[in-house]
Amino acid sequence: MNSDQNKIMDLRTAIRRFVNAGAHISIGGFTLNRNPMAAVYEIIRQRITGLHVYAHSNGQGVDELVGAGCVSRLEIAYAGSGRFAPTCIRFRKAVENRSLAVEDYSNYQMTLRFMAGSMGIPFLPTRSGLGTSIIDKWGFSAELRKTDPKIPNQKLVVMENPLDGWGDADRVVLVPAINPDVTILHVQTADAQGTVRIQGLTFADVEQAKAARCLIVTCEELVEVDVLRAAPDQNQIPFFCVDAVVPVPWGAFPTACYRYYDYDPVYLNQYRQAAIDDERYRTYLEMFVYGVPDHHTLIERVGHRRLEAIKADPQTGYAVNLDRR
Amino acid sequence: MNSDQNKIMDLRTAIRRFVNAGAHISIGGFTLNRNPMAAVYEIIRQRITGLHVYAHSNGQGVDELVGAGCVSRLEIAYAGSGRFAPTCIRFRKAVENRSLAVEDYSNYQMTLRFMAGSMGIPFLPTRSGLGTSIIDKWGFSAELRKTDPKIPNQKLVVMENPLDGWGDADRVVLVPAINPDVTILHVQTADAQGTVRIQGLTFADVEQAKAARCLIVTCEELVEVDVLRAAPDQNQIPFFCVDAVVPVPWGAFPTACYRYYDYDPVYLNQYRQAAIDDERYRTYLEMFVYGVPDHHTLIERVGHRRLEAIKADPQTGYAVNLDRR
Amino acid sequence: MAEYTLREMMTIAAARQIRDNDIVFCGTGISMLAAMAAKHISAPGSVIFFETGAIDSLLAEVPMAVADPRVMHWTSVNGSLADAFAFMQNRSTGRQVVGIMGAAQIDRYGNLNSTVIGDYFRPRVRLSGSGGACDVASFVGRTIIFMQHEKRKFVNRLDYLTSPGWLQGAGRREQAGLAAGGPSVVITNMAVMAFDDTTREMYIMAVFPGISPAQVLDHMEFKVDIKRAQTFAPPSAAELAILREKCDPQRLILG
Amino acid sequence: MAEYTLREMMTIAAARQIRDNDIVFCGTGISMLAAMAAKHISAPGSVIFFETGAIDSLLAEVPMAVADPRVMHWTSVNGSLADAFAFMQNRSTGRQVVGIMGAAQIDRYGNLNSTVIGDYFRPRVRLSGSGGACDVASFVGRTIIFMQHEKRKFVNRLDYLTSPGWLQGAGRREQAGLAAGGPSVVITNMAVMAFDDTTREMYIMAVFPGISPAQVLDHMEFKVDIKRAQTFAPPSAAELAILREKCDPQRLILG
C-alpha cells in the first residue's frame, strides 16, 4: 500500500529495491503474451538467485529465470510457450537434473491461490483435481513445509462439504492463498501515481497484483493521470496497490503486448534452438542478457526490421500475416 | 446457458416466461442506482407473489416489490435508498408487522454468496461477521431450512482454518452459494445476442448474472453486435449467460443510470411521502404501477420537464447542479 | 470566534482524525463530508473510496448514496463490491483503511447495532441492517464512529451486534478471528470518546465547548472514565471555510 | 475420392463430435483447428473459448497459443482466467462445455497424464504439467481427447494422473466429488475410441480406412472391446475444403 504521487523509477533501481535473493515472486502474462521480460532480463543481469516463483502458465519469462539459475523453487501449473515450446526446455532440464524443486497445481488452482491472497483469506475452494495425483503427490515434502514459515504446511486440503452437500458438492479442494513478496507486471499504460490500464485479456495479472506485498509495474506508455481518470471503467489496478512504475517500451519483448506488438517468432525460435544445448544457451545468455546493459540495447540489437514486422495492426491488435513458422 | 442469436423480447413476455410465483430472484443495481425498475413494476403489475428475494443493498427495487406484496422471503444486507430513505419504509413496515421473513447478512457476505454461485462452488470463506449476531441469529429457522430444499440447511458455518492458521486466520465464516432461478439486470447497452456492457460501477451485477439459472437483461440501448465486439475489454457478460434482452429506455427510472440519467429526487421524495401511509401507498400503486400499462406510459406521465432535469451531462455522467433536496 | 453549527463541529472532529495516506471508507452524509474535508485540510494524500467499488472519486458534488453516479466520475478505478471489500479484508491494504460509520446503538466496547431495536424476531423498530458496516468493522485498521449522545443509544447491552468493535474487551477480536484493528473514536453531539489501549473500554477524550463530562454521563446507560476529558478545540475559521465552500456549498448534508 | 492427410482426418473426426450450441474449450494446434472447422461445417452456433478468458474469438488467423493476441480480437468478452474457469465449474454453463485435450499417457478409463514420464520425484521425462487440463476434465460435460496410438501412451497404469477421466470406472467420478461429465471420445492416428455407458471402459468405435481393429490393439498396452468397431467415414471434399481454405490456409497446424 503506497499513496505517493510519483512512483516512477528506472528498472535497475526497482529490481534492486524490491527483488532480493530468495524472494517469493510472481510475474504477469501468460505463455508468450505480456510477460514482463525487461524485468526478467534485469533480474538475470543482477544475478539474483534462490527465488521462489509462483506461476500459472507464465511461460517464456519463467523459463528464462529458470534457465539463468535464478530460481530454486517453482510452484506452477504449466511450463510451455505455445507452439514454440510445448514444454519449456530449460524448465524440463532443470527438473530432470533435479536442480529445481517443483510443486504442481492446475491453472485454476493457481489462479484461486492468487485470488485468495488478494482477498485476504487463507484459502479458496474448488472441485478441480479431486481424484488426481495433484492431490496426493506433494513436490515439497511435509517436512520442508513444516520448516519454512513462508509456505503453508499443506499443499492443499480435501474437505467434506460442511454445508450438508449444498451446491451439489460432497467434497471440495481447499487451495492455500499466495501473497508474493513482489509481483511484476508489464502493462500497456500506467500513470506516475500507479493506476494501471491493461488492454485485452488480463490473465491473472490483477489477482497477482493485489495478492503481492510489493508491486512493480513496467509499462509501454506512461500517460497523464487525466487520461486514465477520464475512463476509469477501463482501469484494473488502483494506484495504492503499486510501488514502482517503470516505463519500458517493448518491455514484453520477445512476448506479445496486445495492440502494441506481436510475439517475435524469430527470437522465440532462436531461443528454442539455444535452449536445447547448454553451451549454446550460455552463448545466448552472454549475447542477449549479460551482454547488454539494458532492455533498450537488446531491442536495438534485434533491429528495426524485425520490430517493424511485429508491430501491431491498429484494427486487430496483432501483426497481420506475420510469418510465424 | 443459451446461444440463440436473437433473444429480444418485450418485458411482459420476459417476466411472464421467467418469473413465476414463488421464484427465487435477484435484481441488479445498488440503492438508488441502476435498479431494473421497469421489470420490478412489471412484476408488480402481473401480481406475482411469494417471491424469495436475494439482495445486498438493492434498495428502491426491493422496497417496491415488498411494498406491493410480491415478496414472502428476503435475504438481505441493507434496506435503504441513501438519503431518501435511510431505512426503506415499506420494508420496515413489513418486517415490523411480520408479514415478511428476513435473513440478515452483510454486503460482502451477500456478494460472496452470489460469487460462489457464479463459480459453481458450495460456499466462499470470509473473516467478516465473526463475533456478531449475524452468526448466531438465524431469521430462517433450522426447521424451515431442513424442510425447503431450495435453501441451505445452515445460514452459514464458522470453521477453524484447516490450513493450520495459514494466512494469519484461525477461523473463517463459510457463506453458502446462491443460484437464483432468475436474475434481472438493467444495463446501458446490450446486443440482440445478449452481450452486455455496463458503464460505471458494476456493483454485484456480474456475479448475480452468472449465478442465476436464467438471466433477463433490460437495456437503455440495443446496439449492433459489432459495436460491442469492437471493444470487448469493456463488456462484462457474455451472450451465452443471457436468456432475454429487453430494450427499455429509462428502464432504471426513478433510480439512476450512469451516463444516461440521474435518479429523480422528485419521484423518490413522493415515494417516501406515500410509503409512510398505507392509504397513500395504495394510491401510489394505483397511479404509477397498476394504473399504467407499461414503463413507457409511466415515463410519459413523469413528463418531459423532469426527464430533461435528470438527463446526464456527457462529461460527468450525472445531472450537474440537479436540485436534489 | 467563528460561529458554527454542532453538525459542522462533529464533521471537523472526524476530519481531524484522518491522517495523510489513510484510505478512507465512507458512507453517505456526514461521514463523506468529513472525508472530503480532511482531504482539503490536513490529509491531502488520503484516498476516499466506497464499498460500491469507486476508488478516489473526484466528488465535485456531494453524493446522496454510496451508489450515487457522482462517486463514479474521475476515479482511479471503477470496480465492484467484490473488489472494494477485498481491499479491506486484504491485510496490506486493509490495515491502511479507516472506516467511518454510524449506528443506532453502541456499547462500552464500541460494538454497534444498526439492525433492530427490540427482539430480532419481534422487532420494535427494524433498521436498515449491516450493509457494509459489519465487513468494514471486521476488516480495517481503524474505525471512526458517529453517534447521537442519548441513553437509549449508549447501552449496556445491544439488542443486536451488527458490527464488531472491541467485542468483550482486550484480546477478544483476535480470539474471535478478526483483524487487529478496531474502533478508534466515537464522535457525538456532546463529546469525542476514545477506547483505553489496555482495557479497550470507552472513555471521554474531549467534551465540546460548554458541555461538562457529567452532562455527557447523563446521556449514557453505562459509566465511563471522565478523568482524561479535555475541552475540544472548536473548528477554526479556515476549517469552516473549506467545509462550507469546498465540500457542501448547497448544504445538502450540513443542512 | 478426395486425398487427405492423417492430421486432416483426425481434425475432421473431432469436428464431427461438436454439436451446435456447444461451448468449446480449446487448446492450441489441432484442437483449435477442429473447433474452427466445426463452426464452419456442422455447428455454426458453437462458441469457441479459451482458458485465458477470451470468449467467442473471431480467429481470423490461427493462434499459436491460448494467450496469442489473435484470440483477443472481436470477442464477446475479454475476461480473465478466473472468469473462464468459473464458467466451466458453474453447473449451468459447465454442462454445455466440451473440452478438447491431449496427453502423453491415457488409461482404459480416459484418465490422462501430461505431467511426467517415470517417477514424479525422479522424472525420466518432465512434461508441461496440467495447465487448465485438470480443471476442464474436472468440470465440463464432455471431453474429446487427441492421442498418438502407441503402446507407451495407452498404458495400464499412468505415471501421474493429471486430468480425471472416468477414474476407476462407473460412478467413481461422482464418488470423488467431480461433475457428472467425462471423456466422450479419443481420436488417434488409427481410430476413434469411445467409452461404454455402463462400465466406462474404452472401446473401439471406428477404425480409419485401411486400419484393422487388431492393428489398433497392437498399439495399446491394454485390451479393449473391438466388436463395436466400424469403419470411419473419411473426410468429404467439402469438409476438407473448409478446413484447408477457411481454417488454416498457411497450414501452420496442418503442416
Side-chain angles (χ1 to χ4, degrees):
Chain A
M1 151 66 198
N2 177 335
S3 292
D4 301 349
Q5 294 305 299
N6 185 343
K7 295 169 186 164
I8 298 173
M9 58 183 88
D10 67 84
L11 189 53
R12 188 169 293 113
T13 309
I15 297 301
R16 185 156 289 135
R17 182 172 308 171
F18 296 108
V19 185
N20 309 315
H24 288 224
I25 77 165
S26 89
I27 62 173
F30 195 102
T31 58
L32 41 69
N33 203 321
R34 238 172 12 73
N35 286 212
M37 294 308 296
V40 163
Y41 292 136
E42 181 57 28
I43 289 172
I44 297 172
R45 230 176 269 118
Q46 290 189 20
R47 304 193 187 254
I48 297 166
T49 59
L51 295 176
H52 185 120
V53 175
Y54 302 99
H56 39 80
S57 299
N58 301 88
Q60 187 66 23
V62 168
D63 199 49
E64 300 221 23
L65 285 173
V66 168
C70 303
V71 184
S72 61
R73 289 187 201 153
L74 178 61
E75 306 193 36
I76 191 167
Y78 181 82
S81 294
R83 310 296 295 164
F84 295 97
T87 299
C88 290
I89 296 162
R90 300 313 299 185
F91 160 82
R92 178 183 163 175
K93 284 180 185 286
V95 179
E96 290 175 3
N97 68 33
R98 292 160 56 202
S99 58
L100 178 68
V102 177
E103 190 67 274
D104 278 279
Y105 290 91
S106 71
N107 268 343
Y108 192 41
Q109 288 170 340
M110 288 304 292
T111 303
L112 291 172
R113 296 186 64 197
F114 288 118
M115 197 185 301
S118 74
M119 292 167 73
I121 47 179
F123 60 81
L124 276 170
T126 176
R127 285 186 281 113
S128 179
L130 289 164
T132 71
S133 305
I134 290 175
I135 306 290
D136 358 288
K137 290 214 164 49
W138 291 16
F140 301 166
S141 68
E143 295 61 42
L144 168 68
R145 289 177 169 281
K146 288 241 174 349
T147 58
D148 186 343
K150 286 188 80 172
I151 58 177
N153 291 353
Q154 297 91 348
K155 175 183 180 180
L156 42 70
V157 169
V158 176
M159 182 179 78
E160 300 303 302
N161 179 356
L163 282 138
D164 303 355
W166 181 246
D168 189 15
D170 300 334
R171 208 167 285 104
V172 288
V173 181
L174 308 181
V175 291
I178 295 171
N179 290 105
D181 295 321
V182 55
T183 286
I184 308 172
L185 303 182
H186 184 71
V187 306
Q188 284 87 351
T189 46
D191 64 29
Q193 201 182 8
T195 296
V196 165
R197 179 174 301 170
I198 295 169
Q199 294 175 268
L201 299 172
T202 56
F203 307 125
D205 285 16
V206 178
E207 293 81 1
Q208 291 175 250
K210 294 177 177 178
R213 296 191 173 82
C214 295
L215 177 59
I216 299 173
V217 172
T218 65
C219 60
E220 284 299 316
E221 284 189 68
L222 184 73
V223 297
E224 289 305 312
V225 169
D226 290 2
V227 174
L228 300 184
R229 295 272 169 155
D233 298 8
Q234 295 172 51
N235 308 337
Q236 295 90 359
I237 302 173
F239 59 89
F240 57 66
C241 294
V242 178
D243 296 283
V245 175
V246 186
V248 188
W250 301 95
F253 181 94
T255 70
C257 187
Y258 186 56
R259 301 213 157 281
Y260 284 76
Y261 46 89
D262 220 318
Y263 44 85
D264 182 12
V266 180
Y267 192 105
L268 294 174
N269 283 321
Q270 283 175 347
Y271 178 86
R272 185 183 52 232
Q273 289 311 316
I276 54 179
D277 176 85
D278 292 357
E279 190 45 47
R280 275 209 304 273
Y281 197 66
R282 265 187 294 277
T283 319
Y284 160 77
L285 282 175
E286 284 309 329
M287 265 193 65
F288 292 95
V289 189
Y290 299 126
V292 294
D294 53 29
H295 201 63
H296 177 73
T297 315
L298 168 64
I299 294 304
E300 278 184 335
R301 188 162 294 189
V302 168
H304 182 268
R305 223 191 70 269
R306 261 163 64 195
L307 298 178
E308 271 309 310
I310 62 172
K311 271 238 176 79
D313 150 57
Q315 291 309 310
T316 59
Y318 56 85
V320 175
N321 295 325
L322 172 66
D323 180 353
R324 295 179 287 144
R325 279 161 308 182
Chain B
M1 152 65 198
N2 178 335
S3 291
D4 302 350
Q5 294 304 301
N6 184 344
K7 297 168 185 163
I8 299 172
M9 57 184 87
D10 67 82
L11 189 54
R12 189 170 292 109
T13 310
I15 297 300
R16 187 158 288 133
R17 182 172 306 169
F18 296 108
V19 185
N20 309 314
H24 288 223
I25 77 166
S26 89
I27 63 173
F30 195 102
T31 59
L32 40 68
N33 203 322
R34 237 169 15 71
N35 285 213
M37 294 308 297
V40 164
Y41 291 136
E42 181 57 29
I43 288 171
I44 297 172
R45 230 177 268 118
Q46 291 190 19
R47 305 197 186 253
I48 296 165
T49 58
L51 294 176
H52 184 121
V53 175
Y54 301 99
H56 40 81
S57 299
N58 301 91
Q60 188 66 21
V62 168
D63 199 49
E64 300 223 22
L65 285 173
V66 168
C70 303
V71 184
S72 61
R73 287 188 203 151
L74 178 60
E75 305 192 37
I76 190 165
Y78 180 82
S81 292
R83 310 296 295 166
F84 295 99
T87 299
C88 290
I89 296 161
R90 301 311 300 184
F91 159 83
R92 178 183 164 175
K93 283 179 185 287
V95 180
E96 289 174 3
N97 67 35
R98 293 162 55 201
S99 59
L100 177 67
V102 177
E103 190 67 274
D104 278 277
Y105 290 91
S106 72
N107 267 344
Y108 191 42
Q109 288 170 340
M110 287 305 292
T111 302
L112 290 173
R113 295 186 63 197
F114 288 118
M115 198 186 297
S118 73
M119 292 168 74
I121 47 177
F123 60 82
L124 276 170
T126 176
R127 285 185 282 114
S128 179
L130 289 164
T132 70
S133 304
I134 291 175
I135 306 290
D136 352 295
K137 290 213 164 49
W138 292 18
F140 301 167
S141 68
E143 296 60 43
L144 167 68
R145 291 179 167 279
K146 287 239 167 359
T147 59
D148 186 342
K150 286 189 80 172
I151 57 177
N153 292 352
Q154 296 90 347
K155 176 185 180 180
L156 42 71
V157 169
V158 176
M159 183 180 79
E160 299 303 304
N161 178 356
L163 283 136
D164 303 354
W166 181 247
D168 188 17
D170 300 334
R171 208 168 285 103
V172 289
V173 181
L174 309 181
V175 292
I178 295 171
N179 290 106
D181 296 321
V182 55
T183 286
I184 309 173
L185 303 183
H186 183 71
V187 306
Q188 284 87 352
T189 46
D191 63 30
Q193 202 182 8
T195 296
V196 165
R197 177 175 302 171
I198 296 170
Q199 294 174 267
L201 299 172
T202 57
F203 307 125
D205 285 17
V206 177
E207 292 83 1
Q208 291 174 253
K210 294 177 177 178
R213 296 191 172 82
C214 296
L215 177 60
I216 300 173
V217 172
T218 65
C219 59
E220 284 301 316
E221 283 190 67
L222 183 74
V223 297
E224 290 305 312
V225 170
D226 290 1
V227 174
L228 300 184
R229 296 274 168 150
D233 298 8
Q234 295 172 52
N235 308 337
Q236 296 89 358
I237 303 172
F239 58 88
F240 57 65
C241 295
V242 178
D243 296 283
V245 176
V246 185
V248 188
W250 302 95
F253 181 93
T255 70
C257 188
Y258 186 55
R259 302 212 155 280
Y260 284 76
Y261 46 89
D262 219 317
Y263 43 86
D264 182 13
V266 180
Y267 193 104
L268 294 174
N269 283 320
Q270 284 176 351
Y271 178 87
R272 184 183 52 230
Q273 288 312 316
I276 53 178
D277 175 86
D278 292 359
E279 189 45 46
R280 277 210 303 274
Y281 197 69
R282 267 188 292 277
T283 319
Y284 160 79
L285 282 175
E286 284 308 329
M287 266 193 67
F288 292 96
V289 189
Y290 298 126
V292 295
D294 53 30
H295 201 64
H296 176 73
T297 316
L298 169 65
I299 293 304
E300 278 184 333
R301 189 161 295 190
V302 168
H304 182 269
R305 222 190 71 269
R306 258 163 65 198
L307 298 178
E308 271 309 311
I310 61 171
K311 272 235 177 83
D313 150 57
Q315 292 308 311
T316 59
Y318 55 86
V320 176
N321 296 323
L322 172 65
D323 179 355
R324 295 179 288 145
R325 280 159 309 183
Chain C
M1 210 197 78
E3 291 268 321
Y4 53 85
T5 68
L6 189 56
R7 206 169 173 71
E8 288 172 332
M9 178 158 57
M10 290 172 73
T11 310
I12 294 300
R16 289 176 183 172
Q17 292 290 324
I18 295 167
R19 307 170 193 146
D20 213 13
N21 290 343
D22 279 345
I23 307 179
V24 185
F25 168 90
C26 278
T28 41
I30 188 168
S31 76
M32 199 178 306
L33 212 51
M36 290 167 75
K39 220 172 146 55
H40 287 103
I41 300 168
S42 52
S46 64
V47 177
I48 297 177
F49 89 110
F50 299 93
E51 65 189 289
T52 45
I55 292 166
D56 202 30
S57 312
L58 183 64
L59 300 181
E61 292 187 8
V62 175
M64 300 289 266
V66 295
D68 191 306
R70 285 153 189 78
V71 308
M72 305 182 189
H73 177 53
W74 217 257
T75 61
S76 171
V77 175
N78 276 340
S80 65
L81 271 67
D83 300 330
F85 287 112
F87 282 128
M88 294 190 266
Q89 192 171 220
N90 178 302
R91 292 297 207 287
S92 352
T93 38
R95 95 167 49 88
Q96 298 295 322
V97 175
V98 50
I100 312 184
M101 47 215 304
Q105 289 181 330
I106 185 168
D107 69 15
R108 69 176 65 247
Y109 296 112
N111 302 301
L112 303 178
N113 172 16
S114 54
T115 302
V116 66
I117 301 300
D119 178 66
Y120 181 66
F121 301 96
R122 287 169 186 65
R124 201 158 72 253
V125 181
R126 171 66 208 209
L127 308 165
S128 65
S130 161
C134 171
D135 307 308
V136 175
S138 297
F139 297 151
V140 309
R142 256 156 71 228
T143 55
I144 297 169
I145 301 161
F146 279 109
M147 293 292 299
Q148 283 298 312
H149 231 131
E150 301 172 31
K151 254 196 167 57
R152 62 191 185 94
K153 289 172 179 284
F154 284 72
V155 296
N156 286 312
R157 217 177 156 292
L158 301 174
D159 291 334
Y160 186 100
L161 200 171
T162 310
S163 306
W166 297 110
L167 294 177
Q168 298 77 32
R172 292 308 196 84
R173 279 182 70 93
E174 293 75 355
Q175 284 169 41
L178 295 173
S184 152
V185 296
V186 183
I187 293 161
T188 78
N189 49 318
M190 303 182 84
V192 178
M193 330 283 286
F195 297 87
D196 185 88
D197 290 341
T198 54
T199 66
R200 299 308 190 184
E201 276 193 54
M202 192 185 291
Y203 67 90
I204 304 180
M205 189 168 83
V207 288
F208 288 149
I211 308 271
S212 76
Q215 284 172 292
V216 175
L217 291 181
D218 288 343
H219 290 73
M220 303 170 69
E221 218 177 73
F222 55 89
K223 293 265 150 295
V224 297
D225 172 25
I226 63 172
K227 289 190 294 306
R228 285 169 271 187
Q230 302 172 342
T231 300
F232 182 82
S236 70
E239 288 173 319
L240 289 167
I242 285 167
L243 181 60
R244 293 165 180 172
E245 288 146 36
K246 284 223 165 91
C247 304
D248 187 16
Q250 289 178 280
R251 297 194 76 83
L252 287 167
I253 311 294
L254 292 173
Chain D
M1 208 198 76
E3 293 268 321
Y4 52 84
T5 68
L6 188 57
R7 203 166 176 72
E8 288 172 333
M9 178 156 59
M10 290 172 73
T11 310
I12 294 299
R16 289 175 182 172
Q17 292 290 323
I18 295 166
R19 306 169 193 149
D20 213 11
N21 291 344
D22 280 345
I23 307 179
V24 186
F25 168 90
C26 279
T28 41
I30 189 167
S31 77
M32 199 179 306
L33 212 52
M36 290 167 75
K39 219 171 147 54
H40 287 104
I41 300 167
S42 52
S46 64
V47 177
I48 297 177
F49 89 109
F50 300 93
E51 65 189 286
T52 44
I55 292 166
D56 203 30
S57 312
L58 183 64
L59 300 182
E61 291 187 6
V62 176
M64 300 289 265
V66 295
D68 192 306
R70 284 151 190 79
V71 307
M72 305 182 188
H73 177 54
W74 217 259
T75 60
S76 171
V77 174
N78 276 340
S80 65
L81 271 66
D83 299 331
F85 288 112
F87 283 128
M88 294 191 265
Q89 191 170 222
N90 177 303
R91 292 297 209 287
S92 354
T93 38
R95 95 167 50 88
Q96 298 295 320
V97 175
V98 51
I100 312 183
M101 47 217 301
Q105 291 181 329
I106 185 169
D107 69 16
R108 70 177 63 248
Y109 295 111
N111 302 302
L112 303 177
N113 172 15
S114 54
T115 301
V116 65
I117 301 301
D119 179 62
Y120 181 66
F121 300 97
R122 289 170 183 63
R124 200 158 71 253
V125 181
R126 171 66 207 208
L127 308 165
S128 65
S130 162
C134 171
D135 306 308
V136 175
S138 297
F139 298 151
V140 310
R142 267 158 61 227
T143 55
I144 296 168
I145 302 160
F146 279 110
M147 292 292 299
Q148 283 298 312
H149 230 130
E150 301 172 31
K151 255 197 167 55
R152 63 191 185 97
K153 289 172 179 283
F154 283 71
V155 297
N156 287 313
R157 212 173 162 296
L158 301 175
D159 292 333
Y160 186 100
L161 201 170
T162 310
S163 305
W166 297 109
L167 294 178
Q168 299 79 31
R172 292 307 196 84
R173 279 183 70 92
E174 293 75 354
Q175 283 169 42
L178 294 173
S184 153
V185 296
V186 184
I187 293 160
T188 79
N189 50 320
M190 303 181 84
V192 178
M193 331 282 286
F195 297 86
D196 185 89
D197 290 342
T198 54
T199 66
R200 300 307 192 185
E201 278 193 52
M202 192 186 291
Y203 67 89
I204 303 180
M205 189 169 83
V207 289
F208 287 147
I211 307 275
S212 76
Q215 285 172 290
V216 174
L217 290 182
D218 288 342
H219 290 72
M220 305 170 70
E221 217 177 74
F222 55 89
K223 292 263 151 299
V224 298
D225 173 25
I226 64 173
K227 290 191 294 305
R228 285 168 271 187
Q230 302 173 344
T231 301
F232 182 83
S236 71
E239 288 172 320
L240 290 166
I242 286 167
L243 181 60
R244 292 165 180 171
E245 289 145 37
K246 284 224 164 88
C247 304
D248 188 15
Q250 289 177 280
R251 299 193 75 83
L252 287 168
I253 312 294
L254 292 174

